[in-house]
Structure formats: structure tokens, C-alpha cells
Amino acid sequence: MRFLHTSDWHLGRSLHRVSLLDAQAAFLDHVVATVRERDVDAVLVAGDVYDRAVPPLTAVELFDDALHRLAAVGVPTVMISGNHDSARRLGVGAGLIERAGIHLRTDPAGCDTPVVLADDHGEVACYGLPYLEPALVKDEFKTDKTHHEAVIGAAMDRVRADLATRPAGTRSLVLAHAFVAGGQESDSERDITVGGVAAVPAGVFDGVDYVALGHLHGAQTITERVRYSGSPLAYSFSEASHRKTMWLLDLGPAGEIDAERVDCPVPRPLARLRGRLDDLLDDPALAGHEQSFVEATLTDPVRPADPMARLAERFPYALSLVFEPERAEEDTVTSYAERLKGRSDQEIAEDFVAHVRGSGPDERERTVLRGAFDDVRVDHSVREVAG
């Protein structure tokens, strides 16, 4: 049986305030086309369908359209809620939608009730573990410890118990939204650490043929049978080097795994550039990034004037500026109190400006600072008199 494993759509998300809705629509077009062209038997969506609990209407409409198109193809879709989703909102109408072949698994209590599919080699039981927030589900799973390993372990105990009641040779899949040990993070995932621990060991999923994971945004293989599909689009510049894909998974008659990465469309690549502003504007080697979304780290010793406007003349899709000025090593031995001893508030403020910007204030800025300190002193004196 052939599955298409995807996750972390984050419908409604933007990149530095630039809408990605058109790119997300193009990805969903790609999903439907892949299902048709590659003879997919079922689609697996491992959580974070939306980017937030109450998504914008445009994201809801896009999701609604995707559900109608997947149902029209006649291929079952199994979908769980992630930590960005509102499980209850996503699960509204699940019973009715299931009649169209869209199986939403958002209730932790139903984690041991699989979607049962079948081919010429027998049945495949697909179990959906929605994101399990330990503090909210510990009573459901009757665990003493409130951490991810405990609640996911308890959920998997239920899965294995149900699987044991099924005919011999029944193959099994689990969809889960979690941080599994060995996975590589990026900047765009929301922290799910509980009690100082975020990751769960891969061994907690032992006993099933394949685990379709969501949460981490880079496609990666934890073990042959435990994989992240990653997000379909880059949602932070930390993902600039990611190859965005889905897993096309063939599950053999005895549970054999054959997995292939299917590339997602790239609407606009991401580039992280570093150097002095003039060098970035003049370097011919950077011509290939002129149509990319750009994050530029400027190393000029003194902050240039109008850096974003100047950068945008060559890189019109520049979205982010970071300043890391090149400076000589500062004396870190002298204590902060010693460095301030005998210096006026005005001098301390001027030193701060020089530290942040790379050069001290000019005469106009000194006048502004002096006026501000004078106003504060006057105000303080007035308050003392009034008191």
C-alpha cells in the first residue's frame, strides 16, 4: 500500500509579515497532483494543519478547498491535530467528514481506534495520536508523570493492545506530533518543553510498522520506520538550507518499508547573506540571490545609513536585517562598575550608543541626549519640591 506522508502545513502563516497563502495553495495543488500521478492509496497529515488555534478565514477556506479536492480524488486522508492547532475546532464535524474519506483524529481518547484500510495483502490499521499536551491528558491516560514520554507511552500501550486483537499479519501505522530524540530543530517550531524535557525516545513507538511524525520542520529519518516529513515551505531563515519534501511510502505485505522523498514546489528560495553592505551590493557572485527572500547580516563597523532601502535596490525581496559589526576585542577584564566610575550619565549614554552602533553620537545627537537628561533632572527636582 502506498502512502503520502506530509505534515506542518501551518496554513495562514507568513514569513516576516509576507503572506505565504499563495505558496501554500500551490503546495496543496502539488499534493493532489502527486496523489493522482503516483497512485497514492492514502494521505497522512501529521499535525499543525493551521498555524494558530484561531486561523484567519483565508486559511480556513484554503483548508476547506483542500478537503473537498482530496475527497473528490477518492483517496482516504488521515489527519491529526498538532500543537499549533485547536484540536476541538479542527475536529468539528469529524464524524460527518469521515463519510467522505477524510479521517480527522483530534481526540486523545480515540487514539486506539484506527482507520482500517485494506489491499490485496490484508488490512492496515492507521492510528492517529494528536498532539498530547501532558498537563491536559495525564488524567485520560492515568499517568503519574506529566511529561511527553509518559503520555505518548501510555497512548502507544493502547495502540499495541488494540493491534494485538486484530488478525495476524495486520500492518500498522501511527501518526504522531512530537519531538523525538535525534531530530534536528529549526527556529520556527514552537517549544513544547515540559519539565525541562521536550524529546521522547524513538523506542516509545516500538511495535508498529511505520511512524509518520510531525512537528520538526526538516525532513529527516530517525530510524527506517520513524520519519519526519517536515514542513512543505520554509517558515524561518534557519530553514534556508532545507530540501522541502514529502515521503512517498510503500508498505510491503510483511511490513517492509520503501520510502522516497518527493520534492515540494519552491515559490521563492531563501538566502542568508553576510558581509559589509557595500560588498553585498557589489559582489557579482550574489547575482543568483537577487530574486530570493534574503536575510542579510551586516558586519560594517559602523551602521550604514538606510541599509534596508539600499539592500532592497539589489535584493527586492530582502526581509530581514541583522547587525553584527566587526570590532576589536573589548577589555572584558575590567568590571562594569569600574568602567563607569567617575563618568557622567551623558558619557555613559554616549558610550552605549557607540557600543550598539559602532560609532559615537554626532553633535546633534549629543544635544538631544543632553536635553533629555536635563529634562529628567528638572522633573526630579520639581517632584522633590512638590513632595
Side-chain angles (χ1 to χ4, degrees):
M1 187 172 290
R2 174 166 286 183
F3 296 88
L4 187 65
H5 167 198
T6 179
S7 73
D8 294 272
W9 294 356
H10 288 279
L11 300 181
R13 188 163 187 154
S14 60
L15 178 67
H16 290 268
R17 297 186 297 278
V18 173
S19 173
L20 296 175
L21 203 67
D22 288 344
Q24 291 171 335
F27 162 70
L28 294 174
D29 290 343
H30 178 62
V31 169
V32 175
T34 301
V35 168
R36 288 183 171 134
E37 295 166 8
R38 301 300 298 270
D39 296 323
V40 171
D41 295 303
V43 177
L44 311 176
V45 186
D48 280 354
V49 174
Y50 292 120
D51 189 54
R52 55 182 185 265
V54 184
L57 180 59
T58 50
V60 176
E61 290 171 341
L62 187 57
F63 178 60
D64 179 66
D65 179 66
L67 293 187
H68 278 84
R69 295 170 67 191
L70 287 169
V73 174
V75 172
T77 297
V78 184
M79 182 179 297
I80 62 172
S81 50
N83 61 301
H84 279 249
D85 299 310
S86 166
R88 294 186 66 181
R89 285 189 175 90
L90 186 63
V92 169
L96 185 62
I97 294 172
E98 191 156 7
R99 299 179 189 176
I102 307 294
H103 306 274
L104 294 171
R105 292 294 187 261
T106 62
D107 183 359
C111 67
D112 56 350
T113 303
V115 177
V116 179
L117 308 175
D119 63 8
D120 293 341
H121 305 289
E123 294 184 342
V124 179
C126 300
Y127 299 89
L129 275 59
Y131 173 66
L132 303 175
E133 176 59 48
L136 299 180
V137 301
K138 63 182 180 64
D139 292 338
E140 167 65 33
F141 292 108
K142 298 178 174 59
T143 59
D144 295 330
K145 297 179 179 179
T146 54
H147 55 68
H148 290 288
E149 183 176 356
V151 295
I152 292 176
M156 283 302 302
D157 286 343
R158 292 189 184 183
V159 167
R160 285 184 284 263
D162 179 81
L163 190 57
T165 67
R166 299 191 174 273
T170 297
R171 290 159 291 167
S172 56
L173 295 173
V174 165
L175 289 79
H177 197 86
F179 182 8
V180 175
Q184 297 298 311
E185 300 175 85
S186 62
D187 292 343
S188 55
E189 297 116 5
R190 184 178 295 165
D191 184 20
I192 60 170
T193 300
V194 175
V197 179
V200 300
V204 77
F205 296 106
D206 286 350
V208 296
D209 293 312
Y210 183 76
V211 182
L213 292 174
H215 180 58
L216 299 184
H217 289 183
Q220 49 201 295
T221 301
I222 305 300
T223 71
E224 180 191 10
R225 298 184 181 276
V226 181
R227 300 171 188 254
Y228 283 99
S229 66
S231 62
L233 298 169
Y235 290 123
S236 73
F237 279 99
S238 67
E239 301 172 49
S241 63
H242 286 189
R243 175 189 167 198
K244 296 299 185 180
T245 60
M246 303 176 287
W247 285 109
L248 190 67
L249 175 78
D250 286 327
L251 183 63
E256 308 95 321
I257 298 293
D258 184 15
E260 172 192 346
R261 291 178 72 177
V262 177
D263 289 297
C264 296
V266 180
R268 192 176 301 282
L270 272 62
R272 305 183 96 171
L273 309 182
R274 182 184 182 87
R276 298 191 177 198
L277 180 57
D278 287 342
D279 293 337
L280 297 183
L281 296 178
D282 296 336
D283 188 350
L286 301 181
H289 298 305
E290 290 176 355
Q291 297 303 308
S292 301
F293 286 132
V294 168
E295 176 190 74
T297 299
L298 301 185
T299 60
D300 301 71
V302 177
R303 182 185 291 235
D306 300 320
M308 182 59 97
R310 293 172 60 193
L311 194 70
E313 290 177 5
R314 183 178 187 188
F315 304 102
Y317 299 99
L319 300 182
S320 174
L321 273 182
V322 179
F323 293 95
E324 294 184 6
E326 298 169 347
R327 297 188 184 126
E329 269 190 40
E330 298 177 357
D331 179 10
T332 58
V333 177
T334 306
S335 73
Y336 182 71
E338 289 172 331
R339 292 200 301 273
L340 296 185
K341 189 176 181 178
R343 301 181 69 77
S344 67
D345 290 344
Q346 175 86 15
E347 290 171 327
I348 293 170
E350 291 181 11
D351 287 348
F352 176 78
V353 172
H355 174 75
V356 171
R357 193 172 62 186
S359 65
D362 58 26
E363 190 55 42
R364 182 186 62 81
E365 292 167 329
R366 288 192 184 94
T367 300
V368 171
L369 285 171
R370 191 176 301 113
F373 282 119
D374 289 343
D375 288 344
V376 169
R377 280 191 291 271
V378 170
D379 181 71
H380 182 67
S381 298
V382 170
R383 289 175 183 273
E384 282 188 335
V385 172

